[in-house]
Amino acid sequence: MSGNKGVKQRGSKIVVRIVLLLATFIFVYPLIWNVIASLKTNKEIMSSPWGLPAALNFDNFIRAFTESSMGEFIINSFFVTGLSMLLLLILVIPTAYALSRFDFKGRKTLHNFYMAGLFIQPVYIMIPLFLMMNNLEMLDNRFWLSLVYAAGALPFSVYLLTGFMRSISKEFEESAFIDGSGYFRTLISIIIPLARPGILTVVIFNFFTFWNEYALALVLISSDEKKTIPVGLANLMEVQRFATDWAALFAGLVLVLLPTITLYALTQKKLTEGMSMGGLKG
Amino acid sequence: MKSKERTAFILFCILPTLLIFSVFIVYPVTQVFIKSMFSSSGFGGNQEFIGLDNFVELFKDDVFLKSLKNTGFLMLVVPVITLFLSLVFASILSFGELREKHLYRTIFFFPSILSFVVIGILWAFIYHPNMGIINEVLNWMGLDQFALTWLGSKDTVLWAIALVMVWQAVGYYMVMYLAGMDSIPRELYEAASLDGANAVQQFFKITVPMLWEIIRITIIFSINGVLNISFVLVIVMTSGGPNNSSQVALTYMYKQAFVNANFGYAMAIAVIVFCVSLLLSFISNKLTEREIH
């Protein structure tokens, strides 16, 4: 009887493994196919979608840089992502510190105010943002785009970082105060180093958001030389529908994927941990 | 003296952030609601208060009604399929006792950090009638008659887009559920096993009820997530076609604003979408309310 059960269990384990392998294939294959396609010639892409390239065509990547300005778009994306991150940290660290450590009038209201912001999708406000920034002559400017990104990332980042800072023991800063350190110095030299894991979580989460953002970059930036890579790629997709230099398009896709994959490989554990934390407490 | 310094420090900490958040997020939100009642063709000048006329017009606008229907379809179908599959995968990985389960966690989660634009382009090629993998597989299996122009036919386009959304989000919710499942006491399953409950019964009688609060949150996340990704996927994959059969409310909003310069009309669409998503969140919250055991 128990032997029968063992067989049954092993049998269901095999079924489970087959299901998981099939799912893995469905999740991963589009990306592998993309990488392979980026090394094919246009003719090979059309004639044999499954096949491997006869020779590795790295000139697709060269064309992506030279003819489709992918290099420029990538530099813009790095610039905007980096600047947004810097602005976000400058804004969120002091705010999270004040909200998690000081009891002042309106603290709870302010916290709820930011939490309500979690419900605002960027797509909802793209039109009034566009009109306002048009009036203030802030359009087509990478600095203002970055500031908008940072502002949009505030609710989630405030939420993550206040949660984290609350868990830091108060004794560290109390002894700093006794030693005569001012509030500002305590923030810089005690709190920030202690909150580093929390800050890192904020950085990882927002890197993907900033790097991948499309809707706001689409409407707030107009000139080609300032576009970020998601917008550049979407344009290229539009153009290639008719021009059919697909190989260069796939090379472009690989170029956007590289930083994403690298960061994911480095931080994957922290990312999923932070996510389940965010999800459970949200 | 000390308290004055403290107040100054708190203000220094919160005011700049509050100012920037108010200008770039809160003010635009209020503007959406106000300007939705103006007939504004855009840049300054000719704005006229017209009350609810934009809304009345919208409900006579066939394309808008179609786009709203499509949005509603995606908001219902995508969360149901996504969350169910996420739960199943999470169960398999949580209870399957597989040594490689962390690897699957990593792989399944991966699509949820990809750019929506990249996802849209990749899947546009997967669905491509001549060089796409799906039709290639169907031909190879001798099922040529099922090879379709997935994105070019009004019967399949919306399902094709829905499937991409599911692909993108399954791993994300799976990770959320896994965290919850790992904290369910294993004795419950052992006791159920002794009572003769099979895996499916255990799933519905133990796993789902124990995760109920997380499931409720993910339903709301998922309904709202559909809005963002559908906007990008439709722009990149179909531009709303064929004949508006994949148009969603937010792409129609974008078109009204940035192609037709009907800003007031477009913001009325934003208001409606916002209210619909809020209403759906509220309804799902009410429907899923349970006594806490």
Side-chain angles (χ1 to χ4, degrees):
Chain A
M1 197 61 196
S2 75
N4 190 13
K5 204 181 169 194
V7 171
K8 208 175 147 196
Q9 245 174 15
R10 208 169 308 146
S12 72
K13 216 164 183 176
I14 291 172
V15 173
V16 161
R17 282 219 162 91
I18 291 173
V19 170
L20 288 174
L21 284 177
L22 197 71
T24 302
F25 179 79
I26 293 170
F27 283 119
V28 172
Y29 186 72
L31 299 157
I32 295 174
W33 177 75
N34 177 16
V35 174
I36 295 172
S38 74
L39 298 167
K40 290 177 171 179
T41 62
N42 278 307
K43 221 173 128 197
E44 283 171 331
I45 290 176
M46 292 219 282
S47 58
S48 64
W50 284 92
L52 293 171
L56 302 182
N57 289 280
F58 286 102
D59 44 322
N60 295 332
F61 287 88
I62 296 166
R63 271 206 318 290
F65 275 108
T66 53
E67 284 164 38
S68 311
S69 344
M70 281 302 144
E72 239 167 72
F73 296 149
I74 288 178
I75 291 169
N76 286 337
S77 269
F78 271 115
F79 178 77
V80 168
T81 303
L83 186 59
S84 310
M85 201 67 82
L86 184 70
L87 292 167
L88 173 65
L89 294 180
I90 292 173
L91 295 172
V92 77
I93 292 172
T95 296
Y97 181 49
L99 287 175
S100 60
R101 281 306 216 242
F102 292 88
D103 211 15
F104 56 92
K105 220 179 141 194
R107 184 186 65 88
K108 215 174 161 62
T109 315
L110 191 61
H111 191 262
N112 291 339
F113 181 66
Y114 284 120
M115 290 310 99
L118 285 171
F119 291 94
I120 301 303
Q121 313 276 341
V123 199
Y124 288 141
I125 57 170
M126 68 198 261
I127 303 167
L129 255 180
F130 170 83
L131 294 174
M132 176 185 88
M133 290 171 76
N134 180 54
N135 289 336
L136 299 173
E137 294 182 13
M138 288 172 171
L139 286 182
D140 205 24
N141 180 313
R142 279 162 292 194
F143 174 80
W144 295 119
L145 179 71
S146 306
L147 194 63
V148 170
Y149 282 3
L154 276 171
F156 188 63
S157 309
V158 166
Y159 162 71
L160 272 182
L161 207 55
T162 47
F164 190 86
M165 283 183 174
R166 264 191 215 114
S167 68
I168 299 174
S169 163
K170 276 198 170 131
E171 284 161 26
F172 294 105
E173 48 190 315
E174 272 160 12
S175 60
F177 288 141
I178 290 167
D179 288 348
S181 165
Y183 291 111
F184 192 73
R185 254 199 72 163
T186 307
L187 171 61
I188 300 278
S189 53
I190 307 284
I191 294 300
I192 291 181
L194 285 174
R196 232 178 30 211
I199 294 172
L200 195 63
T201 309
V202 169
V203 169
I204 295 167
F205 270 87
N206 288 300
F207 172 86
F208 294 110
T209 314
F210 296 156
W211 180 258
N212 293 333
E213 206 285 333
Y214 171 74
L216 294 175
L218 175 69
V219 297
L220 301 183
I221 298 289
S222 53
S223 52
D224 279 338
E225 71 270 13
K226 291 180 189 165
K227 281 181 175 146
T228 57
I229 191 143
V231 181
L233 273 177
N235 282 358
L236 197 60
M237 171 77 179
E238 194 61 39
V239 174
Q240 296 306 1
R241 256 181 216 165
F242 309 103
T244 67
D245 186 358
W246 286 321
L249 178 64
F250 290 124
L253 288 173
V254 170
L255 292 172
V256 200
L257 285 171
L258 280 179
T260 316
I261 293 176
T262 311
L263 191 70
Y264 184 57
L266 293 173
T267 64
Q268 163 281 122
K269 199 146 183 217
K270 197 158 177 63
L271 192 69
T272 47
E273 275 171 13
M275 225 210 51
S276 35
M277 185 180 87
L280 291 176
K281 291 180 187 161
Chain B
M1 190 57 200
K2 195 74 181 165
S3 102
K4 212 168 163 186
E5 197 188 317
R6 183 175 176 273
T7 311
F9 178 72
I10 291 173
L11 290 178
F12 162 83
C13 282
I14 58 176
L15 278 188
T17 310
L18 187 60
L19 179 76
I20 286 168
F21 188 67
S22 304
V23 171
F24 288 101
I25 307 293
V26 180
Y27 174 75
V29 171
T30 62
Q31 285 297 294
V32 174
F33 287 91
I34 296 169
K35 292 278 179 61
S36 69
M37 290 184 283
F38 282 80
S39 95
S40 122
S41 18
F43 306 95
N46 47 355
Q47 300 182 350
E48 191 193 335
F49 181 80
I50 53 167
L52 298 177
D53 284 7
N54 281 329
F55 295 92
V56 175
E57 275 306 300
L58 274 172
F59 283 98
K60 291 186 216 151
D61 179 340
D62 286 340
V63 179
F64 172 70
L65 292 175
K66 202 173 197 175
S67 76
L68 194 62
K69 208 177 109 204
N70 292 341
T71 309
F73 170 84
L74 293 174
M75 279 173 150
L76 292 175
V77 165
V78 174
V80 169
I81 302 176
T82 308
L83 299 184
F84 179 72
L85 286 177
S86 307
L87 269 170
V88 170
F89 280 128
S91 303
I92 291 175
L93 291 185
S94 180
F95 300 106
E97 282 149 23
L98 300 169
R99 241 173 296 145
E100 67 274 26
K101 64 184 178 188
H102 282 284
L103 184 67
Y104 288 122
R105 211 181 271 224
T106 309
I107 292 170
F108 291 10
F109 186 76
F110 185 58
S112 54
I113 54 146
L114 293 179
S115 148
F116 295 162
V117 172
V118 171
I119 291 173
I121 295 176
L122 276 181
W123 279 86
F125 280 94
I126 290 172
Y127 287 127
H128 197 281
N130 308 323
M131 40 185 260
I133 310 162
I134 292 187
N135 281 354
E136 193 74 11
V137 172
L138 289 170
N139 290 338
W140 179 72
M141 296 197 302
L143 300 167
D144 306 44
Q145 70 269 34
F146 294 108
L148 302 166
T149 51
W150 302 99
L151 295 175
S153 145
K154 67 176 173 39
D155 299 322
T156 52
V157 65
L158 218 50
W159 280 100
I161 290 176
L163 190 75
V164 182
M165 294 184 196
V166 172
W167 179 83
Q168 188 265 344
V170 161
Y172 183 87
Y173 294 108
M174 183 195 83
V175 167
M176 276 196 183
Y177 293 147
L178 271 171
M181 283 181 188
D182 289 344
S183 62
I184 300 176
R186 289 297 184 263
E187 293 80 34
L188 287 177
Y189 293 96
E190 281 157 22
S193 234
L194 289 176
D195 291 344
N198 63 30
V200 175
Q201 285 167 328
Q202 291 178 24
F203 175 79
F204 284 107
K205 294 276 190 241
I206 302 174
T207 310
V208 172
M210 291 298 280
L211 287 180
W212 198 248
E213 285 309 307
I214 303 178
I215 293 173
R216 295 179 69 198
I217 295 166
T218 54
I219 292 173
I220 293 174
F221 275 25
S222 170
I223 288 173
N224 288 289
V226 164
L227 289 172
N228 268 332
I229 186 169
S230 69
F231 174 79
V232 184
L233 289 184
V234 168
I235 286 189
V236 172
M237 294 171 78
T238 66
S239 317
N243 189 23
N244 287 315
S245 52
S246 67
Q247 193 78 259
V248 289
L250 288 177
T251 51
Y252 190 56
M253 172 200 85
Y254 174 81
K255 195 173 158 192
Q256 285 297 342
F258 296 101
V259 181
N260 302 348
N262 265 333
F263 291 101
Y265 197 63
M267 281 192 255
I269 298 176
V271 170
I272 292 175
V273 176
F274 183 73
C275 291
V276 167
S277 78
L278 218 56
L279 187 71
L280 282 180
S281 304
F282 179 77
I283 291 173
S284 91
N285 213 17
K286 276 278 163 219
L287 286 180
T288 56
E289 224 161 33
R290 294 278 188 281
E291 296 284 322
I292 294 167
H293 315 291

